[in-house]
Amino acid sequence: MFAKLVAVSLLTLASGQLLAAECKVTVDSTDQMSFNTKAVEIDKSCKTFTVELTHSGSLPKNVMGHNWVLSSAEDMPKIAADGMGAGIDKNYLKDGDTRIIAHTKIIGAGEKDSVTFDVSKLAAGTDYAFFCSFPGHISMMKGTVTLK
């Protein structure tokens, strides 16, 4: 009887861990101006979500730097345009831009940065996007963020 109880308990524990949502993702960026994904899905059960940005290229951040910026899809082009003049020291993002939900800093080859944000900032039914705000990169470095 004890063995059955232990077995059932272990199976219950294991299945609970399998059902737990993955509340983080690693996104890699390259010297070819690309992210390794075009879509990020966030489970509604996540209270917070973490994006770790890596750069597997060989070029420094002043030449081929990348960041990961989250906003509504509608605001994305305006945020990128407004950030161009901010410069690399401000991650090509305008100070105090409330349209930005979350962002990493600009990184270069071999570097990484991460950002954790409150999932409650995302509303069901809204289209969200991520992009790199380094000037010119948004044309190729963007994707969707979906609350599922």
Side-chain angles (χ1 to χ4, degrees):
M1 179 67 184
F2 179 72
K4 277 187 177 177
L5 185 61
V6 169
V8 168
S9 296
L10 288 174
L11 284 172
T12 303
L13 181 64
S15 66
Q17 288 174 335
L18 290 174
L19 296 175
E22 186 69 24
C23 297
K24 65 178 180 177
V25 68
T26 298
V27 176
D28 185 52
S29 58
T30 69
D31 288 344
Q32 287 70 47
M33 231 168 59
S34 67
F35 287 128
N36 69 338
T37 185
K38 294 285 185 199
V40 172
E41 289 188 346
I42 301 174
D43 194 289
K44 283 185 270 215
S45 69
C46 295
K47 296 209 182 320
T48 61
F49 193 83
T50 300
V51 175
E52 182 180 78
L53 178 66
T54 59
H55 192 313
S56 61
S58 59
L59 296 171
K61 71 180 182 181
N62 62 326
V63 176
M64 189 56 67
H66 305 303
N67 62 352
W68 188 93
V69 182
L70 170 62
S71 71
S72 73
E74 181 183 347
D75 289 337
M76 180 176 68
K78 297 173 209 130
I79 292 169
D82 290 348
M84 275 197 225
I88 197 165
D89 292 341
K90 293 186 178 185
N91 301 298
Y92 294 107
L93 294 169
K94 186 174 89 176
D95 278 339
D97 192 332
T98 57
R99 300 169 297 185
I100 299 168
I101 297 166
H103 71 88
T104 65
K105 67 182 183 181
I106 296 270
I107 60 170
E111 295 181 324
K112 64 171 87 172
D113 191 32
S114 65
V115 61
T116 300
F117 58 92
D118 189 338
V119 175
S120 69
K121 291 182 176 183
L122 305 180
T126 301
D127 291 330
Y128 293 99
F130 66 89
F131 63 98
C132 173
S133 66
F134 195 99
H137 290 197
I138 192 172
S139 63
M140 295 173 61
M141 299 186 74
K142 60 187 171 188
T144 60
V145 175
T146 309
L147 194 59
K148 62 176 182 129

